[in-house]
Amino acid sequence: MEKTAVLETTVAVISHSDTITIDTVELIIPPSQFISLIKDVSNILSKVIELYRSAQHNKNITRILVERISVASASINVLHARDDLLTSTYYKILQRLVQVLHNMKEYIEEITQYNTVQKFLGTEMIEKKFKELCKEYDSCIILLNSNLSVNFNFNTEQEDKIIKEDIVQLSKFQKVLAECINDVKQKVTHTNDQMNLIVERVSEMAITMQSMQSNMKSMTYTEDNKIQKRIDNIFRISSLPFEDYEEADEEGRGYKIYKLRKYVHIKTKDEFAFKVLDPSHINEVKNQVTILMKLKDCQNIINFYGLTSNGLETYLVTEWAEKGNLREYILDHEQNIDLKLKLKLAYDIAKGLNFLNSVKIVHQDIRSVNIVITDHDVAKITNFKYSRKFDEAKHNLVQNEDYVRYNAPEMLRRRTAGDYSIKYDTKCEVYSFGIILWEIAERKVPYDQFVDFIAIAKIVMGGYREKFTSGTDIPKKYQELVNKSVDPNPGYRPIFSKVLTDLQDIFRSLETPTNYPNSLNSNITPPVQKMTQGTIAAIEDCAINLDLFNTDWTDWNSFDYMTLDKAIEFHKKDSSKYYISWSNLECPDNEKHKVSVQLFKEAASYGDEFPDAQLRYALMVMQGKGVKQDKEEAIKYFLKAAKNGHLVAMFDTATYYYSKDENELGNYYMISAANKGYEQAINYCKKKNISY
């Protein structure tokens, strides 16, 4: 009775929807009745561990719940060993706990994959649902452990922090993914809806087609044809009229390997790639292309248009990429690919891979020869010969030297040891992408110094990875991302969504190389520290005392001189540049200033590529030269210049924030300027013992 009293007191304190009542008379329950519940918990634990390993989002939230479910499993095993506790009361508690754990498993299934987490996006439901589940779990586990010695203390403060970080990461990923939607002018909320619709349609199509195809391999030719006709009736894709196209004279560079030819639409003059299909694989390709055509909204995946035939041969029709594949593009350009373009190519590929990942497709053959470059230097993923849905991935690729360069070590071991229990998954894709990231950075074929694929496989399985050249201009964060992506332990590799958002940070933090007058370029790697959204908002909302800004740093004599008319003529030809001259002009200074400030403003508003123009325009507005003095307008462009990497603007913005005792913002800009080699900032940091 004493034990029961303790339990009753606990229940009175804890409140949830299905409060467990305590039997006045304890009934002894046979151990066999507990066994099925214990098995349920074991199965749930196994499933959530599997979900954790394959999680593409909210991996840290999932880890927290895995730990809680593990504690519950340990408690239940201890309970099962205690004959004195196999009572009706504990049986009810265990029943309730199993239901809570089952709800946790379902929640994890929803939040770890993009096609199921969509309904949570833009809401607070992820955190709310998590806390509800934990509250129910705590009530059950406290009751269960009242007479057990299992430790179940959880750091809720740390958990809250982790939850918020995962949610912020998911939100950031969603916004980045929306960038690869072709119609970039749409609002983010609309692109999110569009992306979600694509995911739903592709998933539905793939499931239906997979279900219908699942038994085709064991059927006769006639039975196969019947199922294929059913697929064709459900997914009606008309054949493209071959007579609408004519073959171009030239052959695309880098396309011989896939036997692609350039064809031009007779009326529109649009260019297309035609690939001859093996007759025995036409249905397989047709079914695959039916799904891939739905990915046409992603600007980093090659567009699939369908099939066409000239009566003798059947062709797959895709988008034409003028500059060939990434391998040839890198080798052909040698030293002419600047850092910004390298990072852009890497970022493009990451967006394409994340788009595929979001619709649960694994490519299975991520190599530089399967990335093509358009005439606008956009990288696109192509050659989906081996692509599969997640649960279909087999990775039975022919092993040769080029495949092996990009194969994850676990897949090489699978092939070598014949251990087919090792599954091909997105961690293998991350590894392959990591090799491509190195290849882009170094402009070399990976492992090219080794003679054959057996030698490559041996050194990769032994832990060897290609290194970055000493003194490279590749940002340290990029190098760290590559090293993590090719880690021999798949569990240490980042998830694809984190790779994408990290590459966005790296790409956007890069100081844009400039070629306009008085540019302050630097090859110094941008600082690791970056502004949070809160920091940006604080900067934009603040009121600046313009007297605190330096006014001596603009060297007007640095411009090339020309007549006023000539300057205006040049500017009209290219509004992305500005041309100023104050010599040999037969007009008052005020007129010169009016023209100057107008040209500065146009260049400053052209985009974020010209922080020098933003700074100069801000100075003239602050001083009222050629325009009415407007402190708010000046503030806006001072901060634009600082945020876009102008060293002088960064230094002066830092000193302003120090004057307002906003040291965090001050340190951000001062450290950024020092990291970029600005001498005054370096001296200031040394004087104030600020680590940069």
Side-chain angles (χ1 to χ4, degrees):
M1 291 299 293
E2 184 178 350
K3 174 180 67 178
T4 304
V6 172
L7 290 172
E8 288 175 337
T9 302
T10 308
V11 173
V13 173
I14 298 170
S15 172
H16 56 78
S17 55
D18 297 320
T19 303
I20 299 168
T21 57
I22 304 302
D23 294 331
T24 305
V25 178
E26 290 281 17
L27 301 176
I28 303 301
I29 304 295
S32 59
Q33 288 189 232
F34 280 84
I35 290 176
S36 64
L37 293 177
I38 293 170
K39 285 183 177 179
D40 286 343
V41 174
S42 178
N43 291 336
I44 290 171
L45 179 58
S46 297
K47 179 61 177 177
V48 296
I49 290 173
E50 182 182 332
L51 289 169
Y52 172 73
R53 287 174 175 163
S54 63
Q56 292 302 308
H57 302 284
N58 299 307
K59 197 174 182 77
N60 293 318
I61 294 177
T62 303
R63 176 176 53 77
I64 293 171
L65 295 180
V66 169
E67 290 171 356
R68 285 177 175 264
I69 295 171
S70 298
V71 168
S73 179
S75 297
I76 292 166
N77 287 330
V78 173
L79 171 67
H80 188 228
R82 293 275 300 272
D83 291 340
D84 59 316
L85 298 181
L86 301 183
T87 65
S88 55
T89 294
Y90 276 101
Y91 188 76
K92 288 181 179 180
I93 295 171
L94 186 53
Q95 281 182 314
R96 176 60 188 162
L97 178 59
V98 170
Q99 182 59 52
V100 172
L101 300 184
H102 178 75
N103 293 341
M104 284 182 167
K105 177 183 73 70
E106 289 188 335
Y107 170 75
I108 291 171
E109 288 174 331
E110 290 179 322
I111 67 168
T112 52
Q113 300 296 332
Y114 184 83
N115 63 320
T116 50
V117 78
Q118 299 168 60
K119 66 181 181 180
F120 292 109
L121 294 171
T123 71
E124 298 178 354
M125 284 302 297
I126 292 179
E127 185 174 5
K128 181 180 178 183
K129 183 68 174 176
F130 175 87
K131 290 185 175 179
E132 288 175 356
L133 288 169
C134 287
K135 183 178 179 181
E136 293 180 0
Y137 171 92
D138 289 345
S139 66
C140 291
I141 207 73
I142 288 172
L143 289 171
L144 187 66
N145 281 332
S146 60
N147 279 297
L148 303 176
S149 57
V150 179
N151 183 5
F152 60 93
N153 293 322
F154 303 106
N155 187 336
T156 55
E157 184 177 337
Q158 182 65 20
E159 288 181 348
D160 287 344
K161 182 181 178 182
I162 289 172
I163 294 165
K164 286 179 171 54
E165 287 174 352
D166 264 12
I167 293 172
V168 167
Q169 171 65 23
L170 177 61
S171 176
K172 184 177 181 181
F173 164 80
Q174 171 69 356
K175 290 177 181 177
V176 177
L177 193 64
E179 286 185 7
C180 67
I181 298 292
N182 279 316
D183 188 358
V184 295
K185 294 181 180 179
Q186 299 177 83
K187 293 182 179 178
V188 172
T189 54
H190 183 68
T191 53
N192 289 351
D193 293 340
Q194 185 179 351
M195 180 68 205
N196 296 341
L197 184 61
I198 294 169
V199 171
E200 290 172 6
R201 286 180 176 175
V202 171
S203 297
E204 182 180 345
M205 288 175 62
I207 291 170
T208 303
M209 196 172 288
Q210 179 184 349
S211 175
M212 298 180 72
Q213 289 178 305
S214 59
N215 296 321
M216 287 180 69
K217 290 184 179 180
S218 61
M219 293 182 175
T220 64
Y221 178 78
T222 303
E223 291 172 328
D224 282 356
N225 276 347
K226 286 181 180 179
I227 293 178
Q228 187 59 49
K229 286 180 180 178
R230 288 179 59 197
I231 293 174
D232 293 342
N233 287 333
I234 295 172
F235 307 108
R236 294 183 179 275
I237 303 295
S238 300
S239 179
L240 299 170
F242 185 82
E243 60 272 15
D244 287 352
Y245 305 87
E246 61 181 5
E247 187 172 1
D249 293 333
E250 75 272 25
E251 196 171 317
R253 295 185 310 115
Y255 276 50
K256 292 181 181 179
I257 189 173
Y258 298 124
K259 300 179 181 178
L260 296 185
R261 299 288 299 179
K262 182 194 285 189
Y263 275 71
V264 178
H265 194 278
I266 295 172
K267 292 182 179 179
T268 66
K269 303 303 178 184
D270 291 332
E271 299 171 338
F272 299 89
F274 276 44
K275 179 180 181 179
V276 178
L277 297 179
D278 183 331
S280 64
H281 294 156
I282 288 176
N283 283 338
E284 181 182 355
V285 173
K286 180 168 58 175
N287 295 339
Q288 186 182 51
V289 171
T290 300
I291 296 174
L292 294 173
M293 285 174 66
K294 294 297 180 182
L295 306 183
K296 64 183 183 299
D297 291 301
C298 179
Q299 60 185 335
N300 300 115
I301 295 174
I302 203 76
N303 281 336
F304 290 83
Y305 298 103
L307 305 181
T308 189
S309 175
N310 61 2
L312 299 174
E313 294 178 311
T314 301
Y315 300 89
L316 170 64
V317 182
T318 65
E319 177 183 7
W320 180 261
E322 183 63 31
K323 295 188 178 181
N325 68 56
L326 178 64
R327 169 76 58 78
E328 292 180 331
Y329 183 82
I330 290 172
L331 297 180
D332 287 350
H333 285 76
E334 295 182 348
Q335 305 299 319
N336 296 325
I337 304 178
D338 64 19
L339 178 57
K340 183 183 178 184
L341 181 54
K342 290 179 186 177
L343 297 184
K344 178 191 175 299
L345 294 174
Y347 187 35
D348 280 351
I349 301 167
K351 285 187 285 187
L353 288 172
N354 272 273
F355 198 102
L356 289 176
N357 193 42
S358 297
V359 295
K360 297 180 75 64
I361 290 177
V362 285
H363 187 279
Q364 291 205 98
D365 193 13
I366 300 300
R367 296 182 286 147
S368 59
V369 294
N370 290 333
I371 309 295
V372 293
I373 312 297
T374 71
D375 53 355
H376 297 297
D377 291 323
V378 176
K380 300 196 174 202
I381 301 170
T382 188
N383 191 23
F384 286 78
K385 179 179 179 181
Y386 298 105
S387 65
R388 296 287 185 275
K389 295 295 290 178
F390 280 176
D391 50 4
E392 291 182 285
K394 295 182 175 65
H395 198 68
N396 292 326
L397 302 181
V398 177
Q399 296 294 300
N400 64 30
E401 188 176 341
D402 203 53
Y403 284 117
V404 170
R405 296 183 201 281
Y406 302 87
N407 273 193
E410 62 269 26
M411 300 313 299
L412 296 176
R413 280 192 290 272
R414 162 182 162 151
R415 181 80 179 188
T416 303
D419 182 3
Y420 293 98
S421 64
I422 303 173
K423 295 181 179 179
Y424 185 92
D425 56 20
T426 56
K427 297 186 185 72
C428 300
E429 301 261 276
V430 169
Y431 177 92
S432 299
F433 183 46
I435 299 297
I436 287 181
L437 290 177
W438 180 89
E439 187 173 358
I440 292 172
E442 291 291 314
R443 302 185 305 278
K444 299 175 185 175
V445 177
Y447 307 111
D448 198 35
Q449 67 273 37
F450 297 97
V451 293
D452 56 38
F453 75 89
I454 296 176
I456 295 172
K458 184 176 180 180
I459 59 107
V460 169
M461 287 189 290
Y464 175 83
R465 301 291 183 272
E466 296 280 38
K467 303 294 190 294
F468 286 93
T469 302
S470 178
T472 179
D473 62 347
I474 298 298
K476 186 176 180 181
K477 189 173 180 181
Y478 184 103
Q479 296 182 45
E480 291 172 348
L481 180 62
V482 171
N483 292 334
K484 289 177 183 177
S485 298
V486 298
D487 194 286
N489 185 337
Y492 287 143
R493 297 172 200 159
I495 58 178
F496 254 134
S497 59
K498 188 67 168 65
V499 173
L500 176 63
T501 54
D502 279 357
L503 279 172
Q504 183 200 48
D505 289 341
I506 296 166
F507 178 61
R508 290 187 172 178
S509 67
L510 179 69
E511 181 179 323
T512 307
T514 53
N515 56 6
Y516 48 82
N518 199 37
S519 63
L520 292 168
N521 295 327
S522 172
N523 289 325
I524 306 294
T525 300
V528 174
Q529 299 182 25
K530 60 182 183 292
M531 282 189 289
T532 63
Q533 290 297 318
T535 303
I536 294 172
I539 292 171
E540 293 175 341
D541 292 341
C542 68
I544 294 183
N545 178 357
L546 294 167
D547 294 332
L548 292 168
F549 280 89
N550 240 331
T551 58
D552 298 326
W553 19 257
T554 306
D555 179 12
W556 301 105
N557 294 319
S558 63
F559 290 103
D560 295 328
Y561 286 90
M562 61 184 73
T563 65
L564 181 61
D565 290 341
K566 198 72 174 176
I568 295 172
E569 179 186 343
F570 270 79
H571 183 79
K572 286 180 178 178
K573 288 181 180 177
D574 187 354
S575 60
S576 69
K577 299 179 180 179
Y578 49 94
Y579 302 84
I580 310 293
S581 175
W582 288 343
S583 67
N584 303 320
L585 297 183
E586 296 179 358
C587 59
D589 283 350
N590 190 47
E591 291 300 312
K592 300 176 190 177
H593 290 148
K594 284 182 180 179
V595 175
S596 299
V597 78
Q598 179 185 351
L599 298 183
F600 280 141
K601 183 176 182 180
E602 286 189 35
S605 302
Y606 183 80
D608 290 337
E609 297 175 274
F610 305 103
D612 189 66
Q614 292 166 348
L615 181 67
R616 292 173 185 271
Y617 172 67
L619 179 62
M620 294 193 75
V621 173
M622 181 182 73
Q623 295 174 337
K625 289 185 176 181
V627 68
K628 183 180 178 181
Q629 189 179 44
D630 186 340
K631 291 187 175 183
E632 290 186 2
E633 179 78 347
I635 292 167
K636 176 181 174 182
Y637 282 89
F638 267 122
L639 295 175
K640 274 179 175 287
K643 286 191 290 181
N644 290 321
H646 197 292
L647 303 185
V648 174
M650 292 163 70
F651 178 82
D652 285 274
T653 301
T655 58
Y656 161 73
Y657 283 122
Y658 288 142
S659 73
K660 293 190 67 177
D661 294 324
E662 294 181 22
N663 293 333
E664 181 182 354
L665 295 176
N667 284 341
Y668 168 77
Y669 281 106
M670 190 62 71
I671 291 170
S672 298
N675 275 330
K676 291 177 183 291
Y678 190 56
E679 188 173 351
Q680 283 184 262
I682 292 173
N683 292 337
Y684 185 93
C685 288
K686 288 180 178 178
K687 182 179 179 181
K688 299 293 184 179
N689 293 320
I690 298 173
S691 176
Y692 67 95

